[in-house]
Amino acid sequence: MSKINGIEVGNVVKEALDKARLSGISNWNEIKDIAKLIADSMLNDLKFIAKKKATGGFDAFDAKIFLEDQKMVARTRLRSVAIITLQTAERVLNAITDVFKGAANTALGWDLF
């Protein structure tokens, strides 16, 4: 399992995908692969931020800006799937982000989302 600063975050991808699937997406089977890619990327982003925090390379402001940029990339990835409307992309992204918010804030000690 994955740990960030001693906090177990290994289930965060599964929890994020479960929440996204239950957010009222009628065509979940068609977008679950891209949602998994986004959730995996968010976990990697949190690990990157943790390393940058440990070395003094990021403060909370830097981390927030970095995550906002990554959310834009995730939104674009979701929208690249032809069947996804902007509203659907936002529901999926918000569901995934909600789960990562708790994990990130606990593991890093910053209110990032």
Side-chain angles (χ1 to χ4, degrees):
M1 288 293 159
S2 295
K3 286 189 177 188
I4 298 175
N5 292 336
I7 306 296
E8 181 60 55
V9 294
N11 292 328
V12 72
V13 170
K14 182 187 179 313
E15 291 171 19
L17 293 175
D18 287 345
K19 186 167 183 175
R21 181 179 50 82
L22 296 172
S23 69
I25 308 302
S26 61
N27 50 353
W28 176 248
N29 285 334
E30 297 175 48
I31 63 169
K32 68 182 176 186
D33 291 338
I34 193 77
K36 170 94 167 69
L37 176 67
I38 289 166
D40 288 339
S41 293
M42 281 189 173
L43 182 56
N44 287 330
D45 292 343
L46 294 182
K47 291 176 184 178
F48 173 76
I49 291 169
K51 287 179 185 176
K52 296 297 274 184
K53 179 183 181 186
T55 63
F58 270 16
D59 61 15
F61 180 78
D62 296 325
K64 284 181 183 184
I65 297 300
F66 177 79
L67 287 174
E68 283 301 316
D69 288 348
Q70 298 303 44
K71 282 173 59 178
M72 283 191 284
V73 171
R75 190 175 289 114
T76 301
R77 285 179 171 171
L78 278 167
R79 292 283 293 152
S80 71
V81 179
I83 59 166
I84 295 180
T85 65
L86 181 57
Q87 184 179 28
T88 300
E90 287 302 306
R91 277 202 324 260
V92 170
L93 186 55
N94 288 338
I96 291 171
T97 301
D98 284 347
V99 173
F100 273 89
K101 177 182 180 177
N105 294 348
T106 300
L108 298 170
W110 290 332
D111 184 23
L112 295 178
F113 289 96

